[in-house]
Amino acid sequence: MIVLAVGVPFSPELDSLVLTALEYTYRERYGAALSVINDAITRFPDEPVGYFFKAAIYDYYMEDYHTNRYENEFFRFMEIAERKAKERLTTAKDRHVRAWMHFFVAGAYGYKAMRAGRSGNYLVALKYALEGIKPLKATLQEDSTLYDAYFPLGIYNYALSKAPSRIGILPTFFLVKDKEAAKKKGIEYLKLAWRKGHYTSTISALTLAWVLMREGRAREAIPILRSYVEKYPESRYFRWVFGGLLLKEGRFEEAETVYEGLLYLVLRDQPNVPYNVVYIAYYLGYTKYFLGKFDEAIRFFDVALKYYEEAPPSDKKALASIIRRLRRLYKRAKARLDME
């Protein structure tokens, strides 16, 4: 008799390996995360879950390091996960198994849509997103308590609520008629995945906090994310979003502490990622400025400018708006110092 892990149609050993790999990922120990997930793939080569989360780890790494370095590996392992899941669907009779296989297919489309969207390939992103709708609906038809499925469903609904009137030559009105209702659903689905998801609870919390920040609801998101910043003190990713939440609420003294710790982590672990250094040094300087610490603000603006000059052209283009704001604030800080 095969013993399954509670909540998923996999063995406890496989489930434990996946959860351990995700914990390492959120602690940004990517080598350890990949080592564990590779073990899962070696020991359970016919299950899609290992391939799926290996691709997800690469995606998380690329966002953290602001790079496309592992994009080929990401697509390769996500496609293997999709193929393995579809193969299982041809023989699986159990609804719980079928629900999870549909979830991996839908999740693969969803992740590919996000990567395409981040690259500005919105038509490709739309194509992947539309292809993911059917397996996502099938997931919940088979098992409405598979709460991990509400993570991609939440992202999908929220993205639709923010869709422009056209993507390329295609009008988007046929996708959603009531954008406000789609936004509300998206947020509620993300909350459900955060509270009850098995594999997606943590990433749902991070995504939910970012969405609430965009919607002017930072105060609601702060206690949600604070617990994860405390749980993963070595994580840069969680501090990025948490610092933004605090600034939205004008909590500059708390934001100062967060950004000081974040800049230390970035300079220690990512000195060759100028985009991240520029971004964080700017926001630390910004925070110092509004605390009246103009000399310190200028010092961190100088750090940002130094790394900006060393950044590749693609990063300079992405950072252009921040540098414009930095130069304006730099002049104001110098003027305030001259008045003292």
Side-chain angles (χ1 to χ4, degrees):
M1 181 178 68
I2 299 175
V3 179
L4 301 180
V6 175
V8 295
F10 317 120
S11 74
E13 291 81 8
L14 176 55
D15 183 58
S16 178
L17 287 169
V18 172
L19 292 172
T20 299
L22 291 177
E23 279 294 297
Y24 279 132
T25 302
Y26 299 135
R27 296 183 187 280
E28 291 159 10
R29 295 176 59 185
Y30 299 110
L34 289 170
S35 177
V36 172
I37 208 68
N38 284 338
D39 188 24
I41 290 171
T42 299
R43 293 170 62 184
F44 303 93
D46 295 326
E47 294 285 2
V49 60
Y51 305 97
F52 181 86
F53 283 109
K54 183 168 184 178
I57 292 167
Y58 279 128
D59 180 75
Y60 196 98
Y61 173 94
M62 287 189 286
E63 284 302 289
D64 182 21
Y65 277 80
H66 195 71
T67 180
N68 292 325
R69 179 180 177 184
Y70 293 109
E71 199 156 69
N72 288 339
E73 289 86 346
F74 164 82
F75 280 105
R76 180 161 67 91
F77 284 104
M78 201 57 84
E79 285 162 8
I80 294 172
E82 181 185 341
R83 186 177 73 246
K84 295 280 185 180
K86 287 179 176 177
E87 288 172 357
R88 288 285 298 280
L89 281 168
T90 62
T91 58
K93 303 298 182 184
D94 182 272
R95 295 190 68 175
H96 192 46
V97 174
R98 292 182 60 80
W100 276 97
M101 296 307 111
H102 283 301
F103 166 74
F104 290 125
V105 174
Y109 284 125
Y111 262 107
K112 288 188 285 187
M114 286 193 293
R115 286 227 62 82
R118 289 170 187 148
S119 301
N121 298 321
Y122 298 116
L123 284 174
V124 176
L126 179 60
K127 171 181 175 291
Y128 282 135
L130 292 175
E131 288 176 331
I133 295 173
K134 186 176 179 180
L136 192 54
K137 288 182 176 179
T139 300
L140 296 172
Q141 286 170 354
E142 296 281 8
D143 184 356
S144 63
T145 66
L146 201 164
Y147 295 108
D148 287 302
Y150 292 96
F151 171 58
L153 189 61
I155 292 175
Y156 177 73
N157 275 271
Y158 184 74
L160 284 182
S161 77
K162 298 298 179 182
S165 58
R166 286 184 175 274
I167 298 177
I169 62 172
L170 297 177
T172 58
F173 65 83
F174 67 92
L175 295 176
V176 61
K177 294 181 180 179
D178 189 340
K179 291 191 174 185
E180 194 61 33
K183 179 172 69 177
K184 185 177 179 180
K185 280 184 180 179
I187 291 172
E188 289 306 311
Y189 290 149
L190 287 172
K191 286 183 177 179
L192 190 57
W194 160 51
R195 290 172 177 146
K196 295 189 175 183
H198 184 67
Y199 294 128
T200 64
S201 176
T202 299
I203 194 65
S204 294
L206 184 62
T207 306
L208 173 63
W210 181 83
V211 166
L212 291 174
M213 180 169 62
R214 280 187 54 121
E215 294 303 315
R217 296 164 62 178
R219 184 176 300 178
E220 183 181 344
I222 285 172
I224 295 172
L225 206 58
R226 186 187 299 278
S227 63
Y228 290 95
V229 172
E230 292 170 352
K231 182 178 180 180
Y232 303 112
E234 66 273 66
S235 168
R236 296 174 295 272
Y237 214 141
F238 290 96
R239 287 179 187 241
W240 273 75
V241 180
F242 192 54
L245 293 171
L246 292 170
L247 286 184
K248 288 286 186 181
E249 286 296 298
R251 294 162 68 164
F252 292 105
E253 290 184 355
E254 292 175 80
E256 179 185 30
T257 300
V258 170
Y259 282 122
E260 284 177 342
L262 180 53
L263 185 61
Y264 166 77
L265 291 173
V266 169
L267 288 172
R268 184 190 71 182
D269 300 328
Q270 299 180 319
N272 298 319
V273 186
Y275 178 93
N276 289 356
V277 179
V278 172
Y279 197 100
I280 298 306
Y282 164 71
Y283 274 104
L284 180 54
Y286 175 94
T287 303
K288 298 281 188 182
Y289 176 89
F290 282 97
L291 287 172
K293 301 177 181 180
F294 305 116
D295 54 340
E296 292 184 44
I298 289 171
R299 189 164 75 248
F300 288 111
F301 290 154
D302 282 334
V303 171
L305 288 169
K306 174 181 179 293
Y307 277 86
Y308 176 73
E309 291 304 318
E310 298 171 1
S314 59
D315 280 1
K316 286 185 175 179
K317 183 178 179 180
L319 290 163
S321 64
I322 279 183
I323 293 300
R324 285 195 296 270
R325 283 181 276 164
L326 182 153
R327 295 188 191 282
R328 288 196 295 267
L329 210 55
Y330 195 110
K331 290 180 181 179
R332 289 164 62 183
K334 290 280 286 184
R336 293 294 295 270
L337 274 178
D338 291 342
M339 293 170 58
E340 293 181 353

